[in-house]
Amino acid sequence: MTSLEDLPIRDDLRGKSPYGAPQKHVRIELNVNENTHPIPEPVARDIIESLARAILTINRYPDREFSQLRDGLAEYLGQGLTRDNIWAANGSNEILQQIMQAFGGPGRSILGFPPTYSMHSIIASGTGTTWIGAERDADFEISPSTAVAAIREHDPDIVIFCSPNNPTGTPLSLETIEAAYDATDKIVIVDEAYAEFAPAGAPSALTLLPGRPRLIVSRTMSKAFAFAGARLGYLAADPAIADALRLVRLPYHLSSLTQAAAVAALQHSAEMLAMVDDIAHERDRIVERLTELGYHPWPTWSNFVLFGGVENPSEVFETLLEKGIIIRDLGIPGHLRVSAGTHAETTAFLDAMAALS
């Protein structure tokens, strides 16, 4: 039987591993930071009606510029943004891939700060962009001076931050982003996949966009909007960034059905985001209870909690799995990560952890 190693794959891809989030289907799935709350039924009906209308013209190619969707995303983000500032793709991963195709590639590099979202380095590898990992400060933070020192040392073509960071939930200050931008004449990305879960009034990198044409803020509808299966990611930036991505995107890369579903969902943003407060409450309950149980949950502005003080992470992971609960073992010594679920799901996880203590 032919193996991957038998194929004439690119030399720089040999020995690499694909994205490895487990897809085991069990009673309670709290491992990939999904929104476990179902879409409200009235919203679902409107999405279905929008999809039904789109089906009637499915014999034609979709709107290549997805103009209505970009209008909806701009209105949702506010900040004086228009469709010209917006670009979208099949999940934020494709957004990041297109950015690296346009601004990275062979002979170019991207600087990140592990531990961070593992797909950043995987996408870099797939686009032939050299991945450079820089050290964080204590408590998984990144100070302005730390960011600037790493940029000066490595002179990357792209700098990427995750705010709040995955897998740690750590927020990133606007001062760090500003300092990093000023320290380079290249592209700076802020991946804000979990921005909606930050405390009310917390500043977003979106506020830094005016006057910074090389700054890109990436977002997704997978988390707060419970749209993980629809695959819709987007960015906000200077209009010239979208022009650059048009050079590398595939023709008609967003299907008519994806556009129709996302447009309908955005028209119900208030109802969709009503779930966020409930999820944040469950997240905070996890932090409080795990602390009581003697673990060390890290401060988090996301919909998940990274917690330390786990003597044997793989053993705890397997024990929970036997109980029908899956969380995430990321390979960080002494740590595991759990997504905030519904009240019942969160309670089941916390009860299981209490039984282990």
Side-chain angles (χ1 to χ4, degrees):
M1 182 176 179
T2 302
S3 71
L4 176 61
E5 293 304 312
D6 296 322
L7 297 175
I9 194 171
R10 281 172 21 203
D11 289 340
D12 61 317
L13 292 181
R14 290 193 181 278
K16 302 278 188 180
S17 298
Y19 180 70
Q23 276 200 301
K24 297 179 181 179
H25 295 295
V26 297
R27 179 171 59 97
I28 298 175
E29 299 174 359
L30 302 175
N31 62 321
V32 289
N33 303 339
E34 295 162 319
N35 184 331
T36 59
H37 294 57
I39 290 176
E41 188 172 334
V43 181
R45 286 199 206 99
D46 279 0
I47 293 173
I48 290 169
E49 291 176 6
S50 183
L51 289 170
R53 290 191 295 271
I55 282 286
L56 297 177
T57 59
I58 204 70
N59 58 307
R60 301 292 186 179
Y61 284 117
D63 175 8
R64 187 174 58 221
E65 291 298 307
F66 40 96
S67 301
Q68 187 179 6
L69 173 58
R70 287 160 63 210
D71 285 341
L73 289 167
E75 181 179 357
Y76 167 68
L77 292 179
Q79 305 292 332
L81 299 170
T82 71
R83 73 165 65 164
D84 292 335
N85 299 107
I86 305 297
W87 188 253
N90 291 282
S92 59
N93 289 328
E94 188 176 53
I95 287 287
L96 297 175
Q97 182 183 59
Q98 290 179 352
I99 294 170
M100 290 188 216
Q101 286 175 315
F103 299 103
R108 295 193 172 197
S109 62
I110 179 169
L111 173 71
F113 295 82
T116 193
Y117 182 36
S118 60
M119 278 304 300
H120 290 172
S121 60
I122 292 173
I123 295 170
S125 176
T127 59
T129 309
T130 299
W131 169 260
I132 300 169
E135 294 290 328
R136 288 176 173 263
D137 298 316
D139 300 334
F140 302 118
E141 295 184 350
I142 308 172
S143 68
S145 60
T146 293
V148 170
I151 291 168
R152 288 176 177 166
E153 177 182 357
H154 299 289
D155 190 26
D157 296 280
I158 305 171
V159 180
I160 187 165
F161 298 104
C162 199
S163 180
N165 186 51
N166 177 11
T168 65
T170 316
L172 182 73
S173 73
L174 296 188
E175 290 76 16
T176 295
I177 300 168
E178 289 177 297
Y181 187 90
D182 291 342
T184 181
D185 59 359
K186 308 293 176 50
I187 295 296
V188 176
I189 307 169
V190 183
D191 183 346
E192 288 193 340
Y194 300 92
E196 285 90 350
F197 298 99
S204 162
L206 293 170
T207 61
L208 300 179
L209 287 174
R212 294 183 175 88
R214 295 175 286 103
L215 178 63
I216 301 172
V217 181
S218 172
R219 291 283 190 99
T220 182
M221 291 182 69
S222 292
K223 311 301 181 182
F225 272 82
F227 238 51
R231 310 308 301 133
L232 198 291
Y234 58 102
L235 66 75
D238 187 271
I241 295 294
D243 288 339
L245 301 193
R246 287 183 176 92
L247 299 175
V248 298
R249 61 96 176 262
L250 295 174
Y252 311 105
H253 70 287
L254 274 181
S255 78
S256 297
L257 301 183
T258 299
Q259 294 182 44
V263 166
L266 285 165
Q267 291 170 351
H268 292 274
S269 59
E271 298 100 306
M272 300 290 271
L273 294 179
M275 297 181 283
V276 168
D277 288 341
D278 183 51
I279 294 167
H281 173 76
E282 297 304 318
R283 174 202 65 199
D284 294 343
R285 191 160 72 97
I286 291 171
V287 171
E288 181 179 356
R289 182 60 176 141
L290 287 180
T291 301
E292 293 172 352
L293 293 173
Y295 296 99
H296 177 65
W298 291 92
T300 175
W301 283 15
S302 59
N303 68 339
F304 57 82
V305 178
L306 178 74
F307 59 100
V310 185
E311 186 172 336
N312 190 329
S314 61
E315 182 179 309
V316 172
F317 175 87
E318 292 297 335
T319 300
L320 292 173
L321 191 58
E322 289 173 4
K323 298 176 181 290
I325 303 169
I326 186 169
I327 60 173
R328 191 74 180 271
D329 184 354
L330 295 151
I332 300 175
H335 287 75
L336 290 167
R337 190 192 70 193
V338 60
S339 308
T342 63
H343 183 80
E345 290 169 333
T346 300
T347 299
F349 162 72
L350 292 174
D351 288 348
M353 290 300 295
L356 289 172
S357 301

